[in-house]
Structure formats: structure tokens, C-alpha cells
Amino acid sequence: MEPEVIESEIVLPTHFSFKKTQMYEKYPKGQARGRHWKHLKQIIQAENYQNYPPNEPNYVNIESPPSMHPCKRICDITGFEAPYLDPRTSLRYANADVFKLIRSLPNEYVQRYLALRNAAVVLK
Amino acid sequence: MPFISQIQRQTDYSSFPSSCPIVIDNGASYFRIGWAGETDPRVMFRNIVQRPRHKTTGETVTIVGDHDPALMKYFDCTRSGPRSAFDSNVVYQFEIMEYILDFGFDRLGADRSQVDHPVLITECPSNPIQSRSKMAELLFESYGVPSVAFGVDAAFSYKYNQQLGFCDNDGLAICSGFTTSHVIPFVDGEPVYEACCRTNVGGYHVTDYLKQLVSLKYPHHMSRLTWEKVEDLKMEHCYIASDYASEVRLFQKGDKEAEEKTRCWQLPWTPSPAEEPPSEEIARKAALKEKQSQRLREMAEAKRSSRINELENELKGLEFLLQQLNHVEENDIPSFLAESGYVSKQGIESSLVKVTQSLRKAKREEVESEEKADPSTAEKYTLINIPDNMLTPEQLKEKRKQLFLKTTSEGRQRAKQKRFEEELEREKLNKQDEEKRLENPELYLEELRTKHRELSEKVEQRKRLKTNGGHTNGNNVSGGVGRGERLNAAQKERMRLLTTAAFDRGKGEDTFGIKDEDWQLYKLMSKDNDDDEEGPDEDEAELARISSRLREIDPAFVSKSEPGSSASEIPRFRPLTKEDFQVILGVERFRCPEILFNPNLIGVDQAGLDEMTGVSMRRLPSKGEGLEERMTKSILLIGGSCHFPGMAERLEAGIRMIRPCGTPIQVIQASDPIFDAWRGASAYAAAMHFPQQTFSRMDYFEKGEDWLRRYQLKYTL
């Protein structure tokens, strides 16, 4: 290790005196470590919130409902107000210049703009 | 505020008694740890972990927090991005959490055999039990902590501000964090979790939105737009408009106000070295070309003269032969002829004629025989006009030959005529072009350039599609079909045909091909690919013409002829100016934080901050009189993402819309939205009754998970 790296101590040491079991004992090398952590969706599923009374607050309960306001339509490219929708690419646009720009975009960019709005075509 | 991290190893760990709790604010963005009773956390760093490989030794090391890029060059970071223990606001990766806790305790100065202090750690509201129990287990088992307490960071912040007098016993805490935003009502000093409301939009999403927008607008600067840099930009320049629609209209009109609000980020740029070298190069290249063409011309001349010499020699030889023939006696003619290799006198004469013709051609004189052909055709075609039945078979053959010759020569003439006319047309167009150019050179140049650009893009796109289609053509089995092919309508049709053709034949023998329609499928399938090939040829020809024209008249033109050049290069139609290296933030400045109020903009179908307050108040289980009024009078803004200028006004306006007219509304920002959570927790932990709120390892094992589920801190001590 280079001296400056050791001096700056950015690397985490492997042995700590205050720990009862060290990391290298807990997670021996060569074993796949990451696979067995449950993601949030799985955690929530495993919680079985439906077994508990519904008025008790739990992680799923307190989530916000969908918005009551009508969806605000803004142009995907410029951010202005967009009353128009391009049927071919389903991007929103504000005026004719933006429309010209949209029609000249390669497909990759169109999908990225749509992905901003979570409206991209996802092929699984 | 750029990233702050304080990771000096503390030295006074041993001076704290065993009863002094350690306070940890475990947030999705930062991790803060310190001692109870103090006003500031001792150690804080970004809550991420990287596991790169050291370049020289090859071992995998762990690095916690954000570090100096200068030191990171010794590590190979390609396969290890920064990883967080959080998924949304819940801890799920406890291995990473353990690394972080290791680092935190280490920098706090822990050195004994175990961490012998009670620990107060923050969590999100309604944390799932699994996460909570795993955290408790981690603390108890690995660190030997005697007792643990869990609390909600927003609540600590609220209590702290209540002590400072910013808010009352009944109030509302609007906490906008890194990955989520919460609205928690407080009644009698305690948070009411049943009425709590959470939207999964936070500072991380704002930064991500800004990064995507700017990268899409300036694809050539994508490499400079790292997440950290964009976060800096966001913190410095983003603000919340009091009314999105009117603000956007300002920008649309292009007012002077809009100009003032636009910020421009100038990237470092060095102007390219001046025009001397290019023009020198051009002159040099021109001279080289001249020399080459000169050389070629000389070579052609030499060849031509040598050929002329050869032909003349041959001519002389043949004439000499003829003369000799005349002098030779009658009997010796056959033998003489046999020596020279010609069959008869006519043979010699005809070859003489041929040689003279080619000589004349070589000397570029008008070939008389061509002209002679025209009047002679009239004689040669004598037989054509005579009807068939009057001719003998040989004459018929002759007639057919003459017909054929006539039609071909006529065709040739017609073609020549057409070519001549086309030449005239082109000359006319060129002249018109020249006139247009002379009258307005700049405009003409611009037009030509745009045409070139459009054409080149079209050609490139078609080429791209073709190669994508070509891949499916060659390699159906390898499974490398990507999105590019599927999205084309023609390719979709082709796939459909293929699948129906393959499917129909079903079980049993393969009856494909018996019916004629089956072969039509092949035609359709292959037509899809052929179709693409005819179209671009004219485009490409046009493109070649325009590029050659541009090359003549535009000194700064560099033709983009490589097919592989991606769109990420700056189109070099003119020398790069300062403006090319500027990133302009106009509408983005307030469009990005708008998603906090309008998560629909990024496709999250939930209520925005102002609507959430209404929802939260509706969800309150018991509403005493005047409770809601008291609540709206003390609304507190907490969390890192509430630093945007204009947030308080916008929230006030939003809440006024949903409350009955005339209710008192007061929105206050916390004294320090980022650190207040830790400070509140520290004050709480220093209180006398804190030990009663914790639970020990024994409790954890005896009372089981159900008890842990119902465990909640009581915040008013």
C-alpha cells in the first residue's frame, strides 16, 4: 500500500478491538454475500401487515394516496406548459419548434425523456 | 453546502462514563455519531461504502464515506460503485451497515473490548420490524451494546425546536429527506403515527431529475455531470417557484426577467490554437495534390506518346509491307504473305486502316469513321425497308443484322442526346447556385450546411437500423436481439411472419413449402431488408455532392464521413466557441424541485407536500376543537431538502388552498434543518429518564418480536 494511503487511513481496518465477532469471521471470503439480503419489497411482504388491525400505523399504511389534483402537463424537453402530445413518440411538447426537435431525436433520447416521466417502454 | 465530512478520530472516548449514551443519526444521506448532551456530532460522513480493489496488491478493501479523489486513484473502482445500506429509507443491507458502524465507532475512538455505552439510533417512521430487529441484533451481538433505543429523527427535531420556541405542543412536522418526505402531526407533544403521511420523493430524486435533464440537453458534456457535481449545482442554484405556471410563462416569453434568472455554467475551455496551422496545412495539402496530379498527367502523357510511337511504327511497317507486296511478283505473293502473317492483301489493308484509326484517336483527332457511320448506315440498312417475303434466307439474315445495328445505333444516339440534355440542366442549376451564392454567401453556406447535416443524420440512422436488422438476419439463434430491432415496425412485422410460419406447422411432418403462399412469406421477409437498401442510395449521392460542394467553398468544413461517429461529438461545422462549453440552467432551476410538490412529473403517483398536509390532518383520529388551527399555526420544515429558497412561501400558499378561509397559517423553517435531528436526539438522550426508554439485550430476547413491534419512544420526558 502506498504510504499516503496508509497515512490518510481511508481504508477500513479488518480487526476492531471493540467488536465481538470480526467481519472476516462473519462473512468468510469467497461466499456470495449480497444475495441473501431482502429488498424492501420483500421485507414488506414478509411483514404480513394484513394480519394486524388496519388502523395501526405500519410502513404501508402511512404511504400517501395518489394526488387529487389533475396531472400537470409540462413539456418534456423545455419544461413549459404543454397542451400537445406527439402520437408517435408520446412526448409532450409546447410549440412547433419543440415538435421539430422531437421528431429529429434518435430513439434512444426519446426513451430517456419518457423514462424521466416513468413512461418508457420497458421490454422484459 | 457541499459535502461535509468530519472523520477525525476522537481521542476522548475513555473520558466518558459507561452511562453516557452514544447518539447516532442514521440517515440515508449522512451518518452522524456523537455523545449525548453535546450540541454537535463528533463524526459525520456520507452513508455509503465502496469496496474497490487495490491496484497493486489486488486485495479488496472497504472504504466508508466519500473520499478524496486524489487518493482513490490507487484503487480500481470500476467494478465497485458506492453502495448504500438503505433501500428507500429502510436499512436492509446489514453487512454494509456493519461496515458503517465499524467506521463510526472507530472514529469515535472506541478501543475497549466492546462498546459499553447505551446507544440511541434513529430510524424511519413505522420501520418494518425485520429491519428494526436486525439492527438491534447487530448492535447487541457484534458490538456488545448494553441497551438500545430507536427513535424517529423528525420527532427529535421537532422536540428540539419546540424547546427553542419555534413550534408548539401541537403542530405539524414536514420532513423532506433524501429519499422520502414525511408529514407527521404532533398532538400534545407526541407524534401521531396513524396520521403520518409519506411520499417516496426526496432530494435524491430531485438531483437525479436535474442530472438527466442536463445530460439530455448537453450530451457532449455528460462525462462532467457526475452525481456529486449535480448535487452541488442543485444546492446552489435550484429554487422553488411560488407558482410554476406563471414562472414558466416568464421564460416562455423570453423576458428580461427570465434572462436574469438563467444561470450559466462555464466549463473550462481553451480556445483552439489560431488559424495559421490550418491554412498552412491546407496550402500544403493543396500543393501535394497539385504535385500528384502533375505526376499523373505526366505519366499519362508518357504512356500516350509511347503508344503513338508504337502505332506509327506499326503503320510504317504495314505500309512497307504493302509496298513490298506491290513490288513482289505475282507468284510469290502467297509465300510472301504467309511469311508476314496476313491472309490477303485486303487483310493488310484493313489492318492498316485500323492502325491509322487508332493513331488518330490517340492523337485526339476527330474520328471520321464515326461520322462516316451515319451516312453509311443509311446505305447499310437498305434491306430493312424491303418486306420479308421478297428476300432470300441469306438476305433475311442480313436484314435482321441491319435491323439490330440500326436499333442499337439509334439507342446510342438517344442516350447521347439525353446525356447532353442532362449536362445542360446541371450546368444551368450550377449557374443558378453560383448566382445564389454570390448574392448571399452566408445564407447559402448555412443552408448547405443544414442540408448536409440532415442528410448525414438520415443516412446514419438508416445505416444504424440496417446494421441492427443485419444482426438479426445473420444470427437469430444467438439471442442477441436488442431493442433496436424490435422497435422498428418493419422488423416487428418480420418477426410476426417468422413466428406464425414456424408455429403453424405444428406437430407431425413439416408441411411448409407445399403451398405457394409459403414462399410468399420468404419474399415478404427478405423484402423488408432489401427495401432499406434502395432508399439511401439517392440520399447518399446527394450527401456526397453536398459535401464536395462544401469542401470547395467552405474553408472550415470537415466532412463527417465516418459512419461510426456517435452523436456525442460536437458537430464541428464551425470552430468551437466559448458557448459550446456552457451549460445553461434556466427552467431546470425550478422545474426540478417542483417534483416535491408534484411527484407526477416523474411518474410517482402520490400526493405532493402541500396535499400531504391535508391528508395527514384528515387522518387524525380525534380532532379536538381548534386542534387543526393550532396545528397549522406551527408548521415546521425539517430535513435537508427543505433548504430550497421559496419553499416556505409555496407551502403556505398550498396549505391555504386546502384549509378553510382565514385560518392562521405559519410555516417556519427549523433552526438548522440538517443537524436538528441529531441535536434533538442528543438532548433527549441526556435527559434523566432516558434509560427507561431503552431496552436491553435481555428484554429483546425475552419479550420477543411482538413487543418490539409495539415499542415506541415517548418523546416528552
Side-chain angles (χ1 to χ4, degrees), chain B residues 598-618:
Chain B
N598 230 325
N600 285 317
L601 293 179
I602 53 173
V604 173
D605 196 13
Q606 287 182 310
L609 278 182
D610 40 7
E611 229 184 302
M612 267 160 64
T613 49
V615 168
S616 175
M617 288 210 273
R618 260 204 321 261

Side-chain angles (χ1 to χ4, degrees), chain B residues 682-703:
Chain B
S682 158
Y684 184 83
M688 215 174 31
H689 294 287
F690 172 67
Q692 295 163 2
Q693 302 295 326
T694 62
F695 60 94
S696 71
R697 193 159 164 233
M698 289 288 104
D699 292 331
Y700 174 60
F701 283 125
E702 284 170 6
K703 300 184 188 167

Side-chain angles (χ1 to χ4, degrees), chain A residues 44-108:
Chain A
I44 292 178
Q45 251 189 355
E47 293 275 309
N48 283 334
Y49 286 127
Q50 58 264 29
N51 297 345
Y52 303 111
N55 51 0
E56 255 184 31
N58 53 50
Y59 193 77
V60 177
N61 252 346
I62 63 177
E63 204 156 318
S64 316
S67 170
M68 285 291 145
H69 297 167
C71 177
K72 187 168 250 170
R73 298 194 159 81
I74 62 169
C75 171
D76 284 312
I77 317 257
T78 53
F80 302 148
E81 277 211 34
Y84 315 112
L85 180 83
D86 175 17
R88 195 199 288 181
T89 51
S90 67
L91 286 174
R92 300 216 174 99
Y93 61 96
N95 53 38
D97 297 316
V98 184
F99 182 67
K100 247 193 272 180
L101 189 74
I102 287 182
R103 278 292 162 91
S104 72
L105 281 179
N107 193 27
E108 185 205 345

Side-chain angles (χ1 to χ4, degrees), chain B residues 21 110 114 129 151 154 172 245 248 256 342 346 398 438 481 564 660 679:
Chain B
Q114 54 180 18
I129 318 170
L172 214 56
V248 128
K256 200 159 159 304
Y342 285 100
Q346 282 93 349
E398 264 302 311
L438 286 171
V481 182
R679 289 193 189 127

